[in-house]
C-alpha cells in the first residue's frame, strides 16, 4: 500500500504526476527526480502549488540516471517511471539506478506510451535482475485504458545473483535463506 511508504519517481518531468499522486494517497516520503535547472524549478513550483493536498514530505532531486544514487536517499518501497522508453543509451543506467534504489520487496511501476522505441532494450536489461510483468489492460480501471499505453511491474527476482565483470560470485535463493541454508 502507498500509505506510509517511501516512494521515488525517476524522470518526473516538470509535473511529477505519479509522485504527487503517491503523496496525496498518503506516502510518508516522496522523492521526485529529473535533471536540469528549468525542470527542477518547475517541479518545485508544482509541489508548492499543490502543498495543501500533499501528505508527508515531497522532495525534488536534480538527478541524471547513471550518477551516484545516494542523493535520492533509497531504498524505496515504490519506484515510478513514466514515459521513459525512447533513448537507448538511458536504458541500462535506468535499470542500474532502479536496482540501487530497491530493497527486496520494492515494487517498480513503469508506464509508457507511443514514445517506446527503447522498451525492448529496457526489458532485456531489466529481465536480468527483475521479474518483469506486462499488466494486461483488462486489469486496468476502464477509465484509464488507452491502446497506446502499457504498464510494467518489476520486482526483484526470487533468485538473487551478484555479478562482477561477467563472473558469477554467488547465487542464493530466498527459500534456502529462509530455511537457514546458504
Amino acid at each position: 500500500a502507498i500509505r506510509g511508504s517511501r516512494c521515488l519517481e525517476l524522470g518526473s518531468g516538470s509535473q511529477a504526476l505519479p509522485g504527487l499522486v503517491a503523496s496525496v494517497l498518503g506516502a510518508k516520503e516522496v522523492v521526485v527526480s529529473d535533471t536540469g535547472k528549468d525542470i527542477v524549478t518547475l517541479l518545485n513550483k508544482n509541489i508548492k502549488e499543490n502543498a495543501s493536498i500533499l501528505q508527508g514530505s515531497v522532495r525534488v532531486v536534480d538527478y541524471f540516471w547513471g550518477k551516484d544514487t545516494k542523493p535520492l536517499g533509497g531504498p524505496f518501497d515504490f519506484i515510478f517511471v513514466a514515459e521513459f522508453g525512447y533513448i537507448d543509451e538511458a536504458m541500462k543506467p535506468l535499470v542500474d539506478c532502479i536496482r540501487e534504489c530497491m530493497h527486496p520487496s520494492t515494487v517498480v511501476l513503469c508506464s509508457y506510451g507511443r514514445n517506446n522505441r527503447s522498451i525492448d532494450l529496457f526489458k532485456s536489461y531489466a529481465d536480468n535482475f527483475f521479474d518483469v510483468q506486462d499488466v494486461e489492460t483488462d486489469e486496468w480501471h476502464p477509465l484509464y485504458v488507452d491502446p497506446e499505453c502499457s504498464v510494467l511491474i518489476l520486482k526483484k527476482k526470487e533468485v538473487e545473483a551478484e555479478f562482477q565483470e561477467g563472473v558469477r560470485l554467488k547465487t542464493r535463493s530466498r527459500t534456502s535463506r529462509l530455511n537457514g541454508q546458504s
Side-chain angles (χ1 to χ4, degrees):
I2 295 288
R3 182 168 300 286
S5 66
R6 298 188 72 235
C7 300
L8 169 65
E9 183 179 357
L10 294 168
S12 300
S14 62
Q15 297 176 343
L17 186 60
L20 295 181
V21 168
S23 175
V24 169
L25 293 174
K28 74 176 175 186
E29 180 184 1
V30 175
V31 175
V32 295
S33 66
D34 212 317
T35 192
K37 181 181 176 185
D38 292 341
I39 296 292
V40 168
T41 298
L42 287 170
L43 282 169
N44 280 309
K45 181 179 178 184
N46 283 334
I47 290 167
K48 184 177 179 180
E49 288 183 9
N50 290 288
S52 65
I53 61 171
L54 300 178
Q55 300 180 38
S57 70
V58 180
R59 180 170 60 96
V60 176
V61 176
D62 188 340
Y63 180 75
F64 189 82
W65 301 339
K67 301 295 182 187
D68 182 4
T69 59
K70 286 185 182 104
L72 297 171
F76 295 91
D77 304 307
F78 292 92
I79 299 174
F80 310 113
V81 190
E83 287 303 318
F84 65 96
Y86 51 92
I87 301 173
D88 288 352
E89 297 79 17
M91 298 301 97
K92 184 179 182 313
L94 173 58
V95 168
D96 291 341
C97 176
I98 291 169
R99 287 179 57 217
E100 292 175 25
C101 291
M102 294 180 81
H103 55 65
S105 58
T106 297
V107 175
V108 182
L109 299 169
C110 303
S111 65
Y112 58 94
R114 63 185 173 273
N115 293 326
N116 63 11
R117 71 178 187 86
S118 301
I119 291 301
D120 289 338
L121 185 59
F122 173 80
K123 286 181 179 180
S124 72
Y125 289 132
D127 197 46
N128 291 307
F129 308 102
F130 311 115
D131 290 320
V132 179
Q133 174 193 354
D134 285 289
V135 180
E136 300 300 325
T137 55
D138 62 354
E139 297 180 55
W140 299 19
H141 188 286
L143 288 176
Y144 302 109
V145 172
D146 181 332
E148 290 188 354
C149 293
S150 298
V151 175
L152 303 173
I153 296 176
L154 281 59
K155 296 181 181 177
K156 279 194 175 182
K157 286 193 176 202
E158 288 295 319
V159 176
E160 300 169 0
E162 293 182 21
F163 296 89
Q164 183 177 15
E165 297 176 13
V167 177
R168 183 178 297 201
L169 299 175
K170 66 180 180 178
T171 303
R172 299 186 323 180
S173 71
R174 290 183 181 169
T175 305
S176 64
R177 282 200 316 264
L178 292 173
N179 294 329
Q181 303 167 353
S182 297

